[in-house]
Amino acid sequence: MDTIKHQKMGTKGNKKSKSRKTISHFTDVHGLPCIEKIVTSVQETPEPISTHITGSIPNWIKGNFLRNGPGKFEIGNQRFNHWFDGMALLHQFKISDGQVTYKSRFLSSDSYQSNKEHNRIMVSEFGTITMPDPCKNFFQRFLSRFELPKASDNANVSFVNYKGDYYVSTETNIMHKVDPENLETKQKVDWTNFIAVNGATAHPHTEPDGTTYNMGNSYTPKGAYYKIIRVPPSKKEEDETLEGATVLCSIASGDKTKPSYYHSFAMSENYVVFIEQPIKMDLLKIATGKLTGKSISDGFSWDPKLNTIFHLVHKHTGQLSPIKYLAKPLSTFHQINAYEEGGFLTIDMCASDDGQAISNYNIQNLRKSGEALDEVYNTLCRTFPRRFVLPLNIEQATPYNMDLNELPDSTATCVRTGKNKVFCTHEDLHEEDLHRYGGLEFPQINYGRYNTHHYRYFYSCGFRHLVGDTLIKMDIQGKQMKVWEHPGLYPSEPVFVPSPDGAEEDDGVVLSVVVTPNKDKSTFLLVLDAKTFEELGRAEVPVNIPYGFHGAFSAIA
């Protein structure tokens, strides 16, 4: 398999003479191959099975590569509507001494068990509303429509770590503790037993000492609030898992009944950064969904008339900055990194100019072919890496209506437009060659050493389809890129694993699970040299695995 390298130097020179390119119009794509088979239900494989190794897996890699994602898309004769709805299937690739074994288990959530017991969809998911039980009489079915929707505990998004324990999570108030060795579901954990939030993201940030930050929503009669959460780094034996969790700061939603949706947040050395984007959640529509027959996804909307707002919360004091940093309407699901330098906070993220992508990821679209599939893809707004620069020291004497960005070779701008307002424009962290790969998503960095610090590299998936079809290494210094690709193969989120004696930022490997709809039982774990982006080896798995979302590497000493 070939590794294709593209290297293109960014323009150097005075930042004021550089033009900032933002391209939002793209040539339509035709002839996309059908990917239906990679969003098809599979059986779990709870006992470890051997894989076939080609090339070589470095002996220093010792641990469990854990993955999470939907693995069952129908219950009985009922089908889920949205990709995000499928029952969580947990995967483990155990890597040791150059060998790899694979196993998988369905998460034993209440939703999964209830669905399985009744052989029908019993709990509503993001894009699927459960229908009244046909076995009930008419009056019972009528009354059931007035019940408030029960939050699903189908945690199919990611593996996360709190106080040394592994959990699987989505965006509700429920997580599940999971044994990373056998993938068994150990304990259901409810955030509401510890702090007043209605849910939390599946993308927490962790400090070197183990302190973890996350974000949650809180819906009260007075309105909706965004809450910054802090979880201490360790626990006493008698403590429950999230014991000691506190709300660091509450931020009132600008619209009390329509808060913004967010999938993640950014963190620098001293700040948590919440990005309030114009993707809105209509709480009334969501709460009455069972009555009206509307799913949670029907309560989401994109309002391009609203600006994006960056909210900065100081991690040590819990104080919300009085400065509102504004930008034009954008949509972001994943941030790349954030760090402070020279009195500025730099935030890098994957962003697009449209927030309607979520609605396009229903199962029906993912299983289309021919012109119908092309039409779905061509209506999506592409996502690209962007950099925003926020000035931290806005004082009375700070001038208005001029660019405050003093960072060298940076074309991002930040202009004070009011007493407590700064309007920001971004810098593209890429050159024209990225457009041929359809933009990128699922960014990952050398997190342990470079999160909240100045960094150079990140790894991601290119999206020339509805799912990732290439792996991309971006070198921000000079805006160069290296690409791994092969027609018909669809790599998932790349995860960087540092080598134990590595001195440089990209000393290590990149792991990705690669699937294909073209051949039965042809999934493999791909191992790339992170520095050269060349293939070192692969572990071929003799079972089918659906395309998943996020994961983590758990090292074993």
Side-chain angles (χ1 to χ4, degrees), residues 330-394:
L330 63 82
S331 168
T332 179
F333 289 91
H334 301 105
Q335 289 76 56
I336 304 167
N337 199 3
Y339 58 90
E340 299 158 42
E341 183 179 53
F344 295 88
L345 193 154
T346 295
I347 307 175
D348 296 344
M349 67 179 73
C350 295
S352 69
D353 296 321
D354 190 308
Q356 302 184 82
I358 296 177
S359 61
N360 288 297
Y361 279 93
N362 58 56
I363 296 296
Q364 182 182 0
N365 283 342
L366 289 166
R367 292 178 176 173
K368 286 180 177 178
S369 60
E371 293 182 0
L373 178 60
D374 294 343
E375 182 180 358
V376 172
Y377 179 77
N378 290 327
T379 60
L380 292 175
C381 193
R382 310 295 190 263
T383 300
F384 288 94
R386 296 177 177 177
R387 170 167 291 177
F388 287 88
V389 176
L390 280 54
L392 293 172
N393 303 314
I394 301 297

Side-chain angles (χ1 to χ4, degrees), residues 20 24 44 71 83 86 162 194 197 261 268 287 294 464 467 549:
R20 181 175 55 84
S24 56
E44 64 181 2
W83 188 23
Y162 292 98
F194 303 93
V197 293
Y261 169 76
S268 68
K294 299 293 185 180
R464 291 178 301 190
V467 299
F549 296 140

Side-chain angles (χ1 to χ4, degrees), residues 51 53 55-62 95-100 539:
T51 64
I53 305 295
S56 63
I57 311 295
N59 287 329
W60 59 262
I61 307 176
K62 296 183 186 297
I95 309 172
S96 180
D97 299 324
Q99 299 299 310
V100 180

Side-chain angles (χ1 to χ4, degrees), residues 210-275:
T211 300
T212 306
Y213 292 86
N214 207 335
M215 282 197 61
N217 287 327
S218 178
Y219 309 131
T220 73
K222 293 183 178 180
Y225 292 84
Y226 314 106
K227 297 200 171 184
I228 311 300
I229 304 165
R230 179 163 56 197
V231 180
S234 59
K235 64 177 184 293
K236 301 174 183 177
E237 283 193 23
E238 64 272 17
D239 282 351
E240 292 189 62
T241 303
L242 297 179
E243 198 71 42
T246 56
V247 173
L248 181 66
C249 179
S250 292
I251 303 170
S253 169
D255 188 325
K256 293 182 179 181
T257 62
K258 294 182 180 179
S260 292
Y261 169 76
Y262 56 92
H263 183 70
S264 59
F265 61 99
M267 184 179 82
S268 68
E269 183 180 1
N270 293 295
Y271 295 92
V272 168
V273 185
F274 165 52
I275 303 166

Side-chain angles (χ1 to χ4, degrees), residues 30-62:
H30 300 283
L32 286 176
C34 180
I35 58 171
E36 178 178 2
K37 291 184 179 178
I38 66 177
V39 286
T40 300
S41 298
V42 299
Q43 299 296 317
E44 64 181 2
T45 311
E47 298 300 323
I49 57 176
S50 299
T51 64
H52 176 68
I53 305 295
T54 58
S56 63
I57 311 295
N59 287 329
W60 59 262
I61 307 176
K62 296 183 186 297

